[in-house]
């Protein structure tokens, strides 16, 4: 999936143009606003003062050991001694970290709910890309005070493939996620079934079974995760549009499949539901 020219890119171009002519610059490139999470967000006294050097609100200077560029957003009232849950957002194909932030539209609400949110640059799908993107959570946790028992992965298209694929193929890359949200992901049942089930508590798969790029992939991967969670088999072929919770899952496990009518290139309008799902998933691990 390709994302077109972003507002950030247009704004940057106009700033450079205006500055070159000595005109006042009225545009901003800071992206969506982070929200305050409130004084009770996070785990108090979890990190030593001075041990985390990441910049509050917006830090676009973060790089992994592989040189992968990250954009990290924190609640606007972030306290570097309090441990916050981390939402790792993987980009759709062709998007850099800033475009990804705008594409998903998660920053303001996720930070209001107390999450640190990271966005990484896209890497073409490959084994090396999986291992590189797997380092994001550990990279963020080294610079920001993160509750490593409350991590979630989210992504669309290639990003969804990363969200599902990293726990399966690169589990040692960083702290494991408690919850995963994958939309229109380019990964199949057969891909995942080749490895041991990752110990993920909550999985949300969102897919259009008529997706022209990855047709019916989502139903297959939902069945895989349902099997891993010892849920009862679900008859997803009869599902029209909407969400279906697998039943009979092992204690503490949740697998949900949502059928959408959205075309592949479009992010589904389910952000509040997704964040509710993630909050419930990470709460089980805290």
């Amino acid at each position: 999936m390709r994302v077109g020219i972003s507002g950030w890119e247009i704004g940057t171009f106009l700033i450079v143009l205006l500055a070159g002519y000595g005109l006042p610059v009225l545009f901003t490139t800071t992206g969506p606003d982070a929200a305050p999470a409130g004084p009770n967000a996070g785990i108090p006294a979890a990190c030593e003062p001075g041990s985390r050097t990441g910049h509050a609100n917006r830090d676009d200077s973060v790089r992994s050991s592989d040189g992968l560029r990250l954009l990290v957003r924190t609640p606007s009232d972030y306290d570097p001694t309090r441990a916050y849950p981390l939402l790792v957002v993987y980009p759709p194909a062709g998007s850099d970290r800033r475009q990804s932030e705008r594409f998903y539209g998660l920053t303001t609400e996720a930070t209001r709910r107390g999450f640190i949110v990271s966005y990484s640059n896209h890497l073409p799908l490959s084994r090396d890309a999986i291992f590189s993107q797997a380092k994001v959570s550990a990279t963020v946790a080294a610079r920001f005070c993160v509750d490593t028992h409350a991590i979630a992965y989210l992504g669309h298209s290639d990003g969804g493939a990363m969200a599902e694929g990293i726990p399966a193929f690169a589990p040692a890359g960083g702290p494991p996620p408690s919850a995963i949200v994958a939309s229109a992901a380019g990964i199949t049942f057969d891909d995942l079934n080749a490895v041991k089930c990752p110990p993920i508590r909550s999985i949300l798969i969102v897919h259009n079974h008529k997706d022209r790029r990855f047709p019916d992939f989502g139903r297959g991967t939902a069945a895989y995760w349902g099997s891993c969670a010892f849920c009862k088999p679900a008859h997803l072929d009869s599902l029209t549009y909407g969400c279906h919770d697998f039943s009979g899952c092992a204690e503490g496990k949740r697998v949900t499949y949502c059928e959408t009518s959205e075309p592949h290139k479009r992010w589904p309008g389910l952000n509040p539901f997704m964040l509710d799902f993630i909050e419930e998933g990470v709460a089980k691990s805290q």
Side-chain angles (χ1 to χ4, degrees):
M1 186 200 69
R2 294 284 173 180
V3 177
I5 297 175
S6 71
W8 181 87
E9 290 175 312
I10 293 172
T12 300
F13 171 77
L14 290 172
I15 286 173
V16 172
L17 182 65
L18 290 172
Y21 282 94
L23 298 175
V25 175
L26 301 177
F27 300 93
T28 178
T29 61
T30 57
D33 290 334
N40 296 321
I43 301 172
C47 296
E48 291 292 329
S51 65
R52 299 297 189 272
T53 59
H55 301 302
N57 196 335
R58 183 179 192 273
D59 194 332
D60 197 19
S61 66
V62 183
R63 293 178 184 262
S64 72
S65 59
D66 293 339
L68 181 67
R69 293 291 301 272
L70 311 178
L71 169 63
V72 181
R73 303 300 306 268
T74 74
S76 59
D77 53 356
Y78 167 74
D79 177 344
T81 67
R82 300 180 74 94
Y84 297 80
L86 171 64
L87 176 56
V88 179
V89 180
Y90 292 108
S95 294
D96 68 18
R97 60 203 183 280
R98 298 165 183 150
Q99 292 169 321
S100 181
E101 181 183 31
R102 292 186 180 279
F103 175 79
Y104 289 111
L106 288 162
T107 293
T108 302
E109 180 59 17
T111 53
R112 185 189 70 78
R113 295 182 186 222
F115 282 89
I116 295 172
V117 189
S118 69
Y119 302 92
S120 55
N121 283 355
H122 176 258
L123 299 172
L125 286 180
S126 67
R127 184 178 179 85
D128 287 345
I130 290 173
F131 281 91
S132 183
Q133 295 281 12
K135 297 178 181 179
V136 169
S137 59
T139 300
V140 176
R143 294 191 58 169
F144 295 85
C145 195
V146 169
D147 178 358
T148 56
H149 297 291
I151 293 175
Y153 290 174
L154 176 147
H156 180 81
S157 185
D158 281 10
M162 287 293 171
E164 292 186 74
I166 288 170
F169 302 106
S178 301
I180 292 173
V181 173
S183 168
I187 195 167
T188 68
F189 173 91
D190 289 340
D191 293 331
L192 293 169
N193 201 41
V195 298
K196 181 180 178 181
C197 287
I200 309 301
R201 289 184 174 272
S202 300
I203 306 284
L204 171 60
I205 303 296
V206 181
H207 213 96
N208 179 352
H209 77 279
K210 296 181 180 179
D211 186 303
R212 292 185 177 181
R213 181 155 302 180
F214 304 129
D216 219 19
F217 282 22
R219 291 181 178 182
T221 57
Y224 167 82
W225 291 111
S227 175
C228 288
F230 299 99
C231 308
K232 293 179 180 178
H235 302 289
L236 299 179
D237 290 343
S238 61
L239 185 67
T240 53
Y241 299 120
C243 297
H244 172 85
D245 281 316
F246 283 59
S247 63
C249 304
E251 185 177 357
K253 301 277 189 175
R254 182 182 178 187
V255 179
T256 301
Y257 175 76
C258 295
E259 180 72 32
T260 178
S261 60
E262 296 289 0
H264 182 80
K265 66 180 180 180
R266 186 172 299 164
W267 174 241
L270 296 172
N271 282 8
F273 176 74
M274 290 176 174
L275 290 171
D276 288 345
F277 184 92
I278 289 169
E279 281 190 315
E280 177 189 301
V282 299
K284 294 176 183 177
S285 299
Q286 289 177 303

